[in-house]
Amino acid sequence: MSKDKFKQQFAASTAEAFKRVYPEVYKTIGDEQVFAPDFVFDNLETPKDPKLGWFSLPVFRFVRLLKDKPPEIAAKVAAETNALVDTAVDLTLARSSAVAGFLNAQADHSVLTPQTLGEVLTRGSRYGDSDEGQSRNYLVEYCSANIAKPMGIGHLRSTVIGNSLRRIYRKLGYNVVGINYLGDWGTQFGKMIVAYRRWGEGTPLDGNAVKPLLDLYVRFHDAAEEDDSLNEEARQAFRKLEEGDPEITGLWEKFKAISMTEFERIHKMLGVEFDWITGEAFLNDKMEPVIERLQKDGLTEISNGALVVILDDPRLPPCLLKKADGGTLYATRELSSLIYRWDKYRFHESLYVVGSAQADHFKQVQRVVAMMEEAEGLAEADRMTGRVKHVEFGWVKFGDKTMSTRRGNIIFLEDVIERAVTLAREKIIEKNPELKAIDETARMIGVGAVIFGQLSVKRHKDVNFIWEDVLNFEGETGPYLQYTHARLCSLERNYSGSISPEINPALLDHAEERRVVELLADFPDAVADAARAYDPQAVAVYLLRLGGAFNKVYQRKDDAGRIDRIISDDTERSAARMALVKAVRTVIREGLLLLGLEAPEEM
Ligand code: ARG
């Protein structure tokens, strides 16, 4: 049973118990406060010490209402709740215990353990799936790197968050479309073209051209600081591109092909997938109808020769649709793309996993959409307002420095991944030189370290990338979880019995084992929490807890101070523990996959 369901049950049985213990008060106020399950639910807290239970209700808040002392209230209500639970079939899990002025909710392990192990072991990788999504369309846009520039570390964060969200919403039953919206249009291509023509002779436009192209771009910016006419030249080149000049278009297509090959290679290394690769240029013929629509809605104005929408939120600057020279902008393409996606998918939600630096841009276009839908008086079902989310995230810093392409002090994503794989390889050889698939395992671990390092920090916060930290096999890292997973696999390999959920739950009665069972029961909630917060971090943190809790079982000592081995001569106990092992292995593996990591079976 999920924790949320348990919480509801506990709230319901406690509210009922309050009614029975305090009938006089109930008669006067009816289904309010402690007598209302929703009220009890909202007042439940999570105890700091998990041993106390899953939830607790501080009863001293109700002293005035009930005219009774806290320990009395707690003791009477707990006894009544448990009496109820003992007689009701569907409340079997939510036992109550009174500790001072608190009512603590504890799961009855004789029920929770077989139920949870049974569910995990029978459902396997489908444990935690839900039908919440009901196959509704869910759009997640991520990566969205710019062509003719190498993919930098900033795009890494978007890529790994989005890739994981795509997997999480799939698990919840949505029809997810993972989108890569390439930055393949805009004035910067004018700059690229000018730079290539001036200094690019001899730069072969082949698979290795991305870094030389970046050098050209940086060189352009340096030169344009001295000589402003270069900027004008770039504007003209871009105009020609917009007009479809064949020679310039040919160059642009080459830049694009080079970048696409490079991006594909990096996505493959990372194990990242998309369902739709598109880009800004795709909207070239879709902007005019949108502009006309906004004009018809009476939302546009001319300001200094430019076409703008003045927003009804005074904190936001006007949204620029067309420059005085008739050129369109990033926001014009964004708006057209929003409308296109809504018309095509009628999505349940549409996420944009893009750094916080673009927060205003997303607010602006969302505001324009809201004003448009309002002006047109669209029915609720035809409005996308409220369904579009900018999933922003903080910076990635290396030694406290942020990176910028313009200045050329960029850290290449590919170099980061390669370095991680090399370091992982060294560590594996040191730990387990006998391992057969060293290269393959090093790739899984190096990549996993980089991904997990991004996802284990709440997305709003900055990530400080430190090599020693992300690759530490003992710290709060991807490799630590992968290592735990491999260790569980090896226990399974070494066990000669067959593993089944039909075990005696009383044999998993150590506090360490109970904690693991409770965490296993929590997995569906962790996935749902991540989905609700648009942040895979909830799953990452959950896995660290589960891994840590299992390692306590693994290292548990018996009364004589010896390690209490999972597999021992006690066959019944070994069978119970191996069911736990397999359940933990199943959940860690599924959790890692949801985050976009691989789960090697040996390392
Ligand atoms: N290409 C942009 C950049 O690298 C990000 C695009 C984000 N997505 C969007 N729909 N605007 O800065």
PDB file of all heavy atoms in Angstrom, residues 562-578:
ATOM      1  N   ARG A 562      28.549 -10.450  15.592  1.00  0.00           N
ATOM      2  CA  ARG A 562      28.973 -10.942  14.274  1.00  0.00           C
ATOM      3  C   ARG A 562      28.011 -10.449  13.204  1.00  0.00           C
ATOM      4  O   ARG A 562      26.832 -10.269  13.477  1.00  0.00           O
ATOM      5  CB  ARG A 562      28.961 -12.475  14.261  1.00  0.00           C
ATOM      6  CG  ARG A 562      30.171 -13.117  14.900  1.00  0.00           C
ATOM      7  CD  ARG A 562      30.026 -14.615  14.782  1.00  0.00           C
ATOM      8  NE  ARG A 562      28.727 -15.048  15.345  1.00  0.00           N
ATOM      9  CZ  ARG A 562      28.595 -15.776  16.456  1.00  0.00           C
ATOM     10  NH1 ARG A 562      29.651 -16.191  17.117  1.00  0.00           N
ATOM     11  NH2 ARG A 562      27.402 -16.125  16.904  1.00  0.00           N
ATOM     12  N   ILE A 563      28.530 -10.267  11.983  1.00  0.00           N
ATOM     13  CA  ILE A 563      27.655  -9.854  10.875  1.00  0.00           C
ATOM     14  C   ILE A 563      26.576 -10.915  10.687  1.00  0.00           C
ATOM     15  O   ILE A 563      26.860 -12.106  10.595  1.00  0.00           O
ATOM     16  CB  ILE A 563      28.476  -9.695   9.569  1.00  0.00           C
ATOM     17  CG1 ILE A 563      29.377  -8.458   9.642  1.00  0.00           C
ATOM     18  CG2 ILE A 563      27.559  -9.632   8.351  1.00  0.00           C
ATOM     19  CD1 ILE A 563      28.681  -7.142   9.341  1.00  0.00           C
ATOM     20  N   ASP A 564      25.335 -10.457  10.693  1.00  0.00           N
ATOM     21  CA  ASP A 564      24.194 -11.352  10.550  1.00  0.00           C
ATOM     22  C   ASP A 564      23.960 -11.561   9.055  1.00  0.00           C
ATOM     23  O   ASP A 564      23.325 -10.745   8.407  1.00  0.00           O
ATOM     24  CB  ASP A 564      22.991 -10.662  11.219  1.00  0.00           C
ATOM     25  CG  ASP A 564      21.775 -11.559  11.247  1.00  0.00           C
ATOM     26  OD1 ASP A 564      21.889 -12.738  10.877  1.00  0.00           O
ATOM     27  OD2 ASP A 564      20.705 -11.042  11.635  1.00  0.00           O
ATOM     28  N   ARG A 565      24.519 -12.622   8.526  1.00  0.00           N
ATOM     29  CA  ARG A 565      24.516 -12.785   7.067  1.00  0.00           C
ATOM     30  C   ARG A 565      23.110 -12.983   6.495  1.00  0.00           C
ATOM     31  O   ARG A 565      22.265 -13.598   7.121  1.00  0.00           O
ATOM     32  CB  ARG A 565      25.390 -13.970   6.666  1.00  0.00           C
ATOM     33  CG  ARG A 565      26.851 -13.751   7.016  1.00  0.00           C
ATOM     34  CD  ARG A 565      27.761 -14.747   6.308  1.00  0.00           C
ATOM     35  NE  ARG A 565      29.135 -14.334   6.485  1.00  0.00           N
ATOM     36  CZ  ARG A 565      29.729 -13.395   5.747  1.00  0.00           C
ATOM     37  NH1 ARG A 565      29.075 -12.838   4.741  1.00  0.00           N
ATOM     38  NH2 ARG A 565      30.969 -13.041   5.981  1.00  0.00           N
ATOM     39  N   ILE A 566      22.932 -12.468   5.296  1.00  0.00           N
ATOM     40  CA  ILE A 566      21.630 -12.590   4.626  1.00  0.00           C
ATOM     41  C   ILE A 566      21.342 -14.069   4.352  1.00  0.00           C
ATOM     42  O   ILE A 566      20.258 -14.574   4.616  1.00  0.00           O
ATOM     43  CB  ILE A 566      21.652 -11.815   3.278  1.00  0.00           C
ATOM     44  CG1 ILE A 566      22.040 -10.363   3.507  1.00  0.00           C
ATOM     45  CG2 ILE A 566      20.345 -12.014   2.516  1.00  0.00           C
ATOM     46  CD1 ILE A 566      20.933  -9.387   3.665  1.00  0.00           C
ATOM     47  N   ILE A 567      22.351 -14.740   3.818  1.00  0.00           N
ATOM     48  CA  ILE A 567      22.171 -16.158   3.521  1.00  0.00           C
ATOM     49  C   ILE A 567      22.911 -16.956   4.597  1.00  0.00           C
ATOM     50  O   ILE A 567      24.124 -16.835   4.743  1.00  0.00           O
ATOM     51  CB  ILE A 567      22.733 -16.511   2.128  1.00  0.00           C
ATOM     52  CG1 ILE A 567      22.078 -15.621   1.063  1.00  0.00           C
ATOM     53  CG2 ILE A 567      22.497 -17.992   1.799  1.00  0.00           C
ATOM     54  CD1 ILE A 567      22.686 -15.740  -0.324  1.00  0.00           C
ATOM     55  N   SER A 568      22.122 -17.745   5.351  1.00  0.00           N
ATOM     56  CA  SER A 568      22.748 -18.502   6.442  1.00  0.00           C
ATOM     57  C   SER A 568      22.201 -19.933   6.434  1.00  0.00           C
ATOM     58  O   SER A 568      21.489 -20.328   5.524  1.00  0.00           O
ATOM     59  CB  SER A 568      22.420 -17.829   7.776  1.00  0.00           C
ATOM     60  OG  SER A 568      21.027 -17.969   8.025  1.00  0.00           O
ATOM     61  N   ASP A 569      22.497 -20.683   7.502  1.00  0.00           N
ATOM     62  CA  ASP A 569      21.981 -22.053   7.591  1.00  0.00           C
ATOM     63  C   ASP A 569      20.482 -22.081   7.885  1.00  0.00           C
ATOM     64  O   ASP A 569      19.822 -23.091   7.684  1.00  0.00           O
ATOM     65  CB  ASP A 569      22.698 -22.809   8.715  1.00  0.00           C
ATOM     66  CG  ASP A 569      24.173 -22.975   8.398  1.00  0.00           C
ATOM     67  OD1 ASP A 569      24.504 -22.869   7.186  1.00  0.00           O
ATOM     68  OD2 ASP A 569      24.978 -23.180   9.340  1.00  0.00           O
ATOM     69  N   ASP A 570      19.988 -20.992   8.408  1.00  0.00           N
ATOM     70  CA  ASP A 570      18.558 -20.901   8.709  1.00  0.00           C
ATOM     71  C   ASP A 570      17.808 -20.674   7.385  1.00  0.00           C
ATOM     72  O   ASP A 570      17.696 -19.551   6.900  1.00  0.00           O
ATOM     73  CB  ASP A 570      18.348 -19.732   9.676  1.00  0.00           C
ATOM     74  CG  ASP A 570      16.896 -19.602  10.114  1.00  0.00           C
ATOM     75  OD1 ASP A 570      16.009 -20.137   9.407  1.00  0.00           O
ATOM     76  OD2 ASP A 570      16.667 -18.953  11.149  1.00  0.00           O
ATOM     77  N   THR A 571      17.322 -21.762   6.797  1.00  0.00           N
ATOM     78  CA  THR A 571      16.783 -21.640   5.434  1.00  0.00           C
ATOM     79  C   THR A 571      15.533 -20.759   5.371  1.00  0.00           C
ATOM     80  O   THR A 571      15.353 -20.017   4.409  1.00  0.00           O
ATOM     81  CB  THR A 571      16.431 -23.029   4.835  1.00  0.00           C
ATOM     82  OG1 THR A 571      15.696 -23.748   5.817  1.00  0.00           O
ATOM     83  CG2 THR A 571      17.662 -23.790   4.433  1.00  0.00           C
ATOM     84  N   GLU A 572      14.711 -20.853   6.400  1.00  0.00           N
ATOM     85  CA  GLU A 572      13.474 -20.064   6.342  1.00  0.00           C
ATOM     86  C   GLU A 572      13.782 -18.570   6.409  1.00  0.00           C
ATOM     87  O   GLU A 572      13.226 -17.766   5.677  1.00  0.00           O
ATOM     88  CB  GLU A 572      12.559 -20.479   7.494  1.00  0.00           C
ATOM     89  CG  GLU A 572      11.106 -20.593   7.049  1.00  0.00           C
ATOM     90  CD  GLU A 572      10.163 -20.676   8.247  1.00  0.00           C
ATOM     91  OE1 GLU A 572      10.562 -21.246   9.287  1.00  0.00           O
ATOM     92  OE2 GLU A 572       9.055 -20.136   8.123  1.00  0.00           O
ATOM     93  N   ARG A 573      14.694 -18.226   7.297  1.00  0.00           N
ATOM     94  CA  ARG A 573      15.069 -16.822   7.431  1.00  0.00           C
ATOM     95  C   ARG A 573      15.779 -16.339   6.166  1.00  0.00           C
ATOM     96  O   ARG A 573      15.527 -15.231   5.670  1.00  0.00           O
ATOM     97  CB  ARG A 573      15.958 -16.612   8.657  1.00  0.00           C
ATOM     98  CG  ARG A 573      16.078 -15.159   9.058  1.00  0.00           C
ATOM     99  CD  ARG A 573      16.899 -14.976  10.332  1.00  0.00           C
ATOM    100  NE  ARG A 573      16.143 -15.150  11.564  1.00  0.00           N
ATOM    101  CZ  ARG A 573      15.425 -14.167  12.148  1.00  0.00           C
ATOM    102  NH1 ARG A 573      15.351 -12.980  11.591  1.00  0.00           N
ATOM    103  NH2 ARG A 573      14.796 -14.397  13.253  1.00  0.00           N
ATOM    104  N   SER A 574      16.653 -17.176   5.620  1.00  0.00           N
ATOM    105  CA  SER A 574      17.351 -16.794   4.392  1.00  0.00           C
ATOM    106  C   SER A 574      16.343 -16.526   3.284  1.00  0.00           C
ATOM    107  O   SER A 574      16.486 -15.569   2.522  1.00  0.00           O
ATOM    108  CB  SER A 574      18.313 -17.889   3.935  1.00  0.00           C
ATOM    109  OG  SER A 574      19.194 -18.227   4.967  1.00  0.00           O
ATOM    110  N   ALA A 575      15.313 -17.374   3.218  1.00  0.00           N
ATOM    111  CA  ALA A 575      14.307 -17.199   2.160  1.00  0.00           C
ATOM    112  C   ALA A 575      13.592 -15.861   2.330  1.00  0.00           C
ATOM    113  O   ALA A 575      13.362 -15.140   1.359  1.00  0.00           O
ATOM    114  CB  ALA A 575      13.296 -18.338   2.197  1.00  0.00           C
ATOM    115  N   ALA A 576      13.260 -15.528   3.586  1.00  0.00           N
ATOM    116  CA  ALA A 576      12.572 -14.255   3.838  1.00  0.00           C
ATOM    117  C   ALA A 576      13.468 -13.093   3.431  1.00  0.00           C
ATOM    118  O   ALA A 576      13.044 -12.149   2.769  1.00  0.00           O
ATOM    119  CB  ALA A 576      12.208 -14.155   5.313  1.00  0.00           C
ATOM    120  N   ARG A 577      14.736 -13.176   3.810  1.00  0.00           N
ATOM    121  CA  ARG A 577      15.650 -12.078   3.488  1.00  0.00           C
ATOM    122  C   ARG A 577      15.905 -11.961   1.999  1.00  0.00           C
ATOM    123  O   ARG A 577      16.063 -10.866   1.470  1.00  0.00           O
ATOM    124  CB  ARG A 577      16.961 -12.265   4.238  1.00  0.00           C
ATOM    125  CG  ARG A 577      16.764 -12.031   5.720  1.00  0.00           C
ATOM    126  CD  ARG A 577      18.057 -12.145   6.450  1.00  0.00           C
ATOM    127  NE  ARG A 577      17.839 -11.822   7.849  1.00  0.00           N
ATOM    128  CZ  ARG A 577      18.771 -11.964   8.775  1.00  0.00           C
ATOM    129  NH1 ARG A 577      19.959 -12.426   8.449  1.00  0.00           N
ATOM    130  NH2 ARG A 577      18.516 -11.632  10.010  1.00  0.00           N
ATOM    131  N   MET A 578      15.938 -13.125   1.332  1.00  0.00           N
ATOM    132  CA  MET A 578      16.185 -13.055  -0.110  1.00  0.00           C
ATOM    133  C   MET A 578      14.991 -12.454  -0.853  1.00  0.00           C
ATOM    134  O   MET A 578      15.152 -11.817  -1.885  1.00  0.00           O
ATOM    135  CB  MET A 578      16.541 -14.440  -0.667  1.00  0.00           C
ATOM    136  CG  MET A 578      17.959 -14.871  -0.320  1.00  0.00           C
ATOM    137  SD  MET A 578      19.228 -13.626  -0.701  1.00  0.00           S
ATOM    138  CE  MET A 578      19.151 -13.591  -2.493  1.00  0.00           C
TER     139      MET A 578
END
